[in-house]
Amino acid sequence: MELIESIPIIGPFLLAAVPFILCLSIVVAIHELGHLMVGRWCGIRAEVFSIGFGRVLYSRRDKHGTVWQVAALPLGGFVKFLGDMDPSSSRRASDEDLAPEDRPHAFHNAALWKRTLTVLAGPVANFLLSILIFFMLAFILPKGSDEPVIGALDAEIQGVSEFREGDRVLSVNGEATAEFGDVLTAMIRTNGDQATALVERDGRETNVSFRYVTSPRVTSVSSDGAAIAAGMLPGDMILSVNGTEIASTRHLILMGVDLEVGKDITVQVDRDGEIRDFTFAPRFVDRPHPETGEIMPLPTMGVALGEVHLLPLEERRSLGEAAVNGVENVWRIISDSLNYIEQMLFKGATTDHLSGPIGIAKHSANAASGGWLSFVHFIAFISTAIGLMNLFPIPVLDGGHLVFYAAEAVRGRPANAHIVRYGTVAGLSLLLLLMVFVTFNNDLGLGAWLAQN
């Protein structure tokens, strides 16, 4: 990435464009491949499989007669089935224009259930890609055990504590610790003060004294969080929030309790000696209050904070656990997205978290800068988001076609061609207007500029 960034003039552009094009190409290719493979299984002939639009840069024809091509504008793709007159399948050719032997293989002549499965296959392929990525990451990477047992200690805490690797922590300052998360929470609450823990060591219980304080350094960022959207990266040291200096992770957690829903915050960080400011609205999720334990909406920036000085035992997930993890991650992205849409439509939430092509390019560059794990995780997130978006009941999207097919199933005949055509134009216009709004209001910051001026 540093090599790309060093290229004169175009380096910064390529730094954002290359990860974006790579991510989008993978996600679009899988989506369209889902349409193609299920369409073939249903006996529908595909004439063109394209990644990108516009001038064709490369193409070849396979044994099935499908032309596989890469086009110059890498902002999407399509499968053109026999009988389609455009990539969106909104218009179809007349059977008179097709050879008699080709007519049974035209998309519009396929049975309703075959057309439905072919259209549905694109979003499903995106979900399966995401599940596969999350499954592989969960299976390959070890996870921390929930057991309150210390697996490793770094040199910093070893100098100010009596902990040893293998200690089972029973309590911290009298607070029982049933899981490793309880251990970390209780130790963070001490905020650097002298404290005592009861541990089980070699079959015997003993008291150990320690000091534990974590600096507010960003150790990881969520690919769908507010912080990465604003440009924050792992390694950033948080100096202040809204002008208030932050001394520790605990200090930041307590400060977050008083933040208002929907209000922007300004976070100042030190990034390798360079001071940077980021302004964004944190999301609010239901979680325990840091002092009372009461479940309530609290802000989250979408970052993991603190240089953790002790780690749990590591353990591998089974194939079954990894598979469940993959499904749960995809479902979480879907449910969070639907909840956010509900908040926007009915509860006055802002549109600040929506992103257009420029915003997605920025996010992909940020994810790529965090390493291959971060970038692969981002691909899974985008794949789920595109699969979900395509299921929305908007003409020109897969969900719009499914609505027309549902109407056909009820009426017993296809929807009027004029209704399909005008609906497709309206749906395309709506999507273009939304993209323009999001690009100028969020990606380019016009909304914030107008608000300040």
Side-chain angles (χ1 to χ4, degrees):
M1 299 300 290
E2 292 180 358
L3 178 63
I4 295 176
E5 190 175 16
S6 66
I7 299 175
I9 302 176
I10 64 171
F13 169 76
L14 291 177
L15 190 65
V18 171
F20 172 62
I21 293 173
L22 179 60
C23 173
L24 192 63
S25 297
I26 292 172
V27 171
V28 168
I30 294 299
H31 180 95
E32 299 303 334
L33 195 60
H35 289 313
L36 175 76
M37 299 305 293
V38 174
R40 280 184 177 177
W41 177 72
C42 291
I44 303 170
R45 184 178 303 164
E47 294 187 308
V48 179
F49 179 97
S50 181
I51 299 299
F53 300 98
R55 181 183 176 185
V56 177
L57 303 178
Y58 168 82
S59 67
R60 72 172 183 85
R61 187 181 299 272
D62 67 15
K63 64 180 181 180
H64 299 283
T66 302
V67 175
W68 297 70
Q69 67 183 37
V70 177
L73 189 61
L75 294 178
F78 62 88
V79 174
K80 183 177 180 296
F81 289 107
L82 180 65
D84 290 342
M85 293 183 67
D86 57 49
S88 67
S89 301
S90 62
R91 295 186 300 139
R92 69 187 192 192
S94 169
D95 279 348
E96 297 177 357
D97 299 326
L98 302 175
E101 64 272 18
D102 291 336
R103 292 170 188 171
H105 302 289
F107 183 84
H108 60 268
N109 288 332
L112 177 60
W113 69 269
K114 292 183 177 181
R115 283 179 279 141
T116 300
L117 286 181
T118 300
V119 168
L120 192 60
V124 170
N126 283 133
F127 297 146
L128 291 178
L129 171 63
S130 300
I131 290 172
L132 177 62
I133 290 175
F134 287 130
F135 161 76
M136 292 178 63
L137 292 178
F139 186 67
I140 294 172
L141 302 176
K143 70 169 184 175
S145 171
D146 289 334
E147 292 292 311
V149 178
I150 297 175
L153 296 133
D154 69 15
E156 183 173 343
I157 194 171
Q158 285 177 347
V160 292
S161 77
E162 300 171 1
F163 284 118
R164 296 180 188 174
E165 293 182 11
D167 284 348
R168 176 177 290 272
V169 183
L170 305 177
S171 65
V172 175
N173 278 352
E175 180 181 346
T177 51
E179 298 180 351
F180 193 80
D182 299 335
V183 176
L184 285 180
T185 299
M187 294 180 73
I188 289 174
R189 284 177 181 165
T190 65
N191 204 28
D193 295 334
Q194 190 70 38
T196 302
L198 177 64
V199 304
E200 181 183 314
R201 179 184 299 164
D202 300 328
R204 300 173 58 185
E205 294 185 2
T206 184
N207 287 306
V208 299
S209 62
F210 68 92
R211 287 181 179 275
Y212 190 88
V213 61
T214 56
S215 58
R217 183 181 298 277
V218 177
T219 55
S220 65
V221 292
S222 172
S223 59
D224 58 342
I228 194 173
M232 291 179 63
L233 296 174
D236 287 347
M237 176 68 77
I238 297 178
L239 302 178
S240 67
V241 174
N242 291 341
T244 301
E245 293 186 6
I246 302 299
S248 65
T249 300
R250 176 67 174 171
H251 183 196
L252 181 61
I253 292 173
L254 293 175
M255 181 183 179
V257 173
D258 298 323
L259 296 179
E260 297 182 42
V261 178
K263 295 290 186 179
D264 283 351
I265 62 173
T266 298
V267 180
Q268 186 177 84
V269 307
D270 181 336
R271 179 179 297 173
D272 298 326
E274 180 184 354
I275 306 302
R276 299 192 180 191
D277 290 332
F278 301 97
T279 300
F280 57 90
R283 297 180 183 177
F284 278 71
V285 297
D286 290 337
R287 53 196 176 107
H289 188 284
E291 291 188 323
T292 66
E294 177 188 0
I295 302 299
M296 60 184 298
L298 293 174
T300 175
M301 296 190 292
V303 301
L305 291 172
E307 298 163 312
V308 178
H309 303 303
L310 69 166
L311 299 172
L313 296 172
E314 290 188 345
E315 58 185 22
R316 296 282 181 177
R317 294 180 178 88
S318 67
L319 284 173
E321 289 174 329
V324 170
N325 180 272
V327 174
E328 287 178 343
N329 272 289
V330 170
W331 176 246
R332 178 183 58 81
I333 295 172
I334 292 173
S335 60
D336 286 351
S337 299
L338 293 177
N339 287 337
Y340 178 56
I341 292 172
E342 179 188 10
Q343 294 285 332
M344 283 195 304
L345 294 178
F346 305 110
K347 299 183 180 179
T350 69
T351 61
D352 293 346
H353 298 302
L354 298 178
S355 295
I358 295 176
I360 296 175
K362 292 178 181 177
H363 301 337
S364 62
N366 289 336
S369 67
W372 72 270
L373 285 175
S374 173
F375 185 60
V376 170
H377 189 280
F378 181 76
I379 290 175
F381 171 76
I382 291 297
S383 184
T384 303
I386 286 182
L388 176 62
M389 183 188 72
N390 270 277
L391 288 177
F392 291 161
I394 301 174
V396 86
L397 296 179
D398 294 331
H401 291 299
L402 294 175
V403 169
F404 287 133
Y405 296 160
E408 180 178 343
V410 173
R411 299 172 69 245
R413 62 181 185 277
N416 184 280
H418 293 293
I419 294 177
V420 174
R421 189 175 305 122
Y422 292 140
T424 300
V425 172
L428 181 60
S429 300
L430 176 63
L431 290 177
L432 289 174
L433 285 173
L434 179 61
M435 185 176 69
V436 169
F437 166 76
V438 172
T439 298
F440 281 91
N441 188 74
N442 295 356
D443 297 350
L444 298 179
L446 182 60
W449 182 86
L450 290 174
Q452 295 174 1
N453 294 275

